[in-house]
Amino acid sequence: MNNLRRITATLAASLALVAAGCGQGNPSAPKTEAEVLGTSATTALGRVDGPLVVAVGDISCPPGSAVSALACDQSATARLAAGYRPRRVLVLGDSQYDSGLLSAYRNSYARTWGAFKSITKPVPGNHEYLTRGASGYYRYFRDQQAGAPGYYAFNVGAWRIYALNSNCDRISCTRENRWLGRNMAAHPHRCSAITMHHPRYSSGEHGSNAFLRPMWRTAMRHHTDLALAGHDHDYERFAKLNAFGEPARAGIASFVSGTGGRGLRDFATPVTGSVVRDSSAFGVLALRLGKAAYAWEYKTVGGEVVDTGTGRCT
């Protein structure tokens, strides 16, 4: 409880600084339209007992950027996340634009989402690596994860979470995949999830990433339940898919949650298995992690529950 009070107080102070230091404006950003399927106004989070986590990526603009409803509103998503009183915050990469400089982390991200730093479990995105070796990211988050090469595992309640580095052009993902298989074999859990920046499946601007197929297959062999990613600046939920994009009962259900504040982008042609899509507003994904089940809710900063539901661990 004391930790929660400290986070809330820190966030309030940080957001006051942001309001004082950032001007309002209308920076160049694509005008997006909502594309929402299968929505529900009734949240499912109350149907599952367990710790709650918030997951989102693509968050913070460079210091001093103008704020609008379509760009650089990381303060609004931080306030939304605080309302969930999360046990953990899963940051899905591209946490600080444009290049993950340490000075930018300290003067932008730290003033909003930095309030959650003590409970954050991040993964690096491609923008972090625009600073050599993603050094700004690793220095800022050095107390929150295992350091370079950027992949590690941790437990939240009954769940095992594998935080992966999907920048396979920067690190050896072959070596990472071997580590993933060994760790999953050594730490069997009824419920597990993988987090990364690049999504295996996406209908967004960047699209799906076939280079993640080996890690997806490893995760499937160990009955992983959920995959969480960012990269595309939208929200999307997929039905259970195997490593080749085919619906499968033994597949992994996946979410793209790239609406942390940086910007919003339209969808391309929907990918097979896409169930819900929204790019109308910034928002966060909340997950309740139970002993044999999970529940999710995606809510926008305007308070709209776009998507909610439950699932069972395999």
Side-chain angles (χ1 to χ4, degrees), residues 75 117 122 175 181:
S75 60
K117 189 177 180 182
R175 186 176 302 161

Side-chain angles (χ1 to χ4, degrees), residues 6 27 34 72 89-90 103 128 161 172 175 179 192 195 243 245 266-267 278 281-282 286 299 302 309:
R6 184 170 62 255
C72 304
V89 170
L90 311 180
S103 60
E128 283 86 329
I161 312 293
S172 170
R175 186 176 302 161
W179 167 86
S192 63
T195 69
D266 289 324
F267 288 95
D278 182 64
F282 294 120
K299 184 188 288 187

Side-chain angles (χ1 to χ4, degrees), residues 22 34 59 72 75-76 86 163 174 180 196 210-212 243 254 299 305 314:
C22 293
I59 296 173
C72 304
S75 60
T174 298
L180 179 64
M196 67 206 82
F211 66 83
L212 292 170
S254 63
K299 184 188 288 187
V305 176
T314 56

Side-chain angles (χ1 to χ4, degrees), residues 6 16 18 60 68 74 91 110 123 150 152 166 179 181 184 195 197 214 252 257 261 266 290 306 309:
R6 184 170 62 255
V18 171
S60 190
S68 78
Q74 60 266 16
V91 171
V123 294
Y152 57 102
S166 59
W179 167 86
M184 286 183 161
T195 69
H197 180 59
I252 302 172
S257 179
D266 289 324
V306 171

Side-chain angles (χ1 to χ4, degrees), residues 1-8 10-11 51-56 78 81-92 109 112-123 140-141 143-145 152 154-156 161 289:
M1 183 62 69
N2 289 335
N3 189 48
L4 178 62
R5 291 196 185 100
R6 184 170 62 255
I7 289 172
T8 303
T10 302
L11 180 62
L52 185 140
V53 302
V54 167
V56 75
Y84 281 108
R85 304 165 68 91
R87 174 83 62 86
R88 288 284 183 268
V89 170
L90 311 180
V91 171
L92 304 175
Y109 181 93
T112 55
W113 283 82
F116 307 109
K117 189 177 180 182
S118 65
I119 60 171
T120 293
K121 293 295 183 180
V123 294
Y140 181 76
F141 286 117
D143 297 326
Q144 277 63 53
Q145 47 89 45
Y152 57 102
F154 59 97
N155 296 332
V156 181
I161 312 293
L289 304 179

Side-chain angles (χ1 to χ4, degrees), residues 30-297:
K31 185 176 181 180
T32 60
E33 296 180 359
E35 185 179 8
V36 184
L37 305 175
T39 62
S40 171
T42 304
T43 181
L45 292 181
R47 300 179 204 164
V48 173
D49 292 327
L52 185 140
V53 302
V54 167
V56 75
D58 307 274
I59 296 173
S60 190
C61 284
S65 298
V67 178
S68 78
L70 297 178
C72 304
D73 205 2
Q74 60 266 16
S75 60
T77 55
R79 285 193 297 269
L80 178 60
Y84 281 108
R85 304 165 68 91
R87 174 83 62 86
R88 288 284 183 268
V89 170
L90 311 180
V91 171
L92 304 175
D94 282 4
S95 45
Q96 178 59 63
Y97 286 83
D98 283 322
S99 58
L101 289 170
L102 181 59
S103 60
Y105 270 108
R106 289 172 173 170
N107 290 288
S108 184
Y109 181 93
R111 296 186 178 191
T112 55
W113 283 82
F116 307 109
K117 189 177 180 182
S118 65
I119 60 171
T120 293
K121 293 295 183 180
V123 294
N126 55 295
H127 274 269
E128 283 86 329
Y129 277 95
L130 295 180
T131 293
R132 187 172 182 177
S135 60
Y137 164 85
Y138 286 116
R139 289 185 64 187
Y140 181 76
F141 286 117
R142 59 188 172 187
D143 297 326
Q144 277 63 53
Q145 47 89 45
Y151 49 87
Y152 57 102
F154 59 97
N155 296 332
V156 181
W159 283 64
R160 182 76 167 171
I161 312 293
Y162 296 88
L164 304 178
N165 187 342
S166 59
N167 292 278
C168 296
D169 58 336
R170 304 287 184 163
I171 68 161
S172 170
C173 281
T174 298
R175 186 176 302 161
E176 180 179 15
N177 194 34
R178 289 197 295 266
W179 167 86
L180 179 64
R182 291 194 303 268
N183 203 295
M184 286 183 161
H187 301 276
H189 277 62
R190 169 75 185 274
C191 302
S192 63
I194 55 176
T195 69
M196 67 206 82
H197 180 59
H198 301 83
R200 173 66 188 93
Y201 300 109
S202 172
S203 304
E205 180 181 73
H206 295 301
S208 302
N209 293 281
F211 66 83
L212 292 170
R213 187 176 293 152
M215 283 193 280
W216 199 270
R217 294 177 70 180
T218 296
M220 279 188 60
R221 283 199 302 272
H222 293 277
H223 309 289
T224 298
D225 301 286
L226 295 175
L228 311 176
H231 197 43
D232 274 320
H233 296 188
D234 54 50
Y235 170 78
E236 187 168 20
R237 175 167 60 88
F238 283 85
K240 291 184 177 182
L241 299 175
N242 65 21
F244 297 92
E246 301 162 338
R249 290 184 64 184
I252 302 172
S254 63
F255 295 79
V256 177
S257 179
T259 52
R262 174 61 183 92
L264 296 166
R265 295 174 184 158
D266 289 324
F267 288 95
T269 302
V271 172
T272 297
S274 177
V275 180
V276 178
R277 300 176 294 280
D278 182 64
S279 60
S280 65
F282 294 120
V284 302
L285 173 64
L287 295 156
R288 182 81 67 182
L289 304 179
K291 292 182 178 180
Y294 58 91
W296 71 86
E297 172 184 294

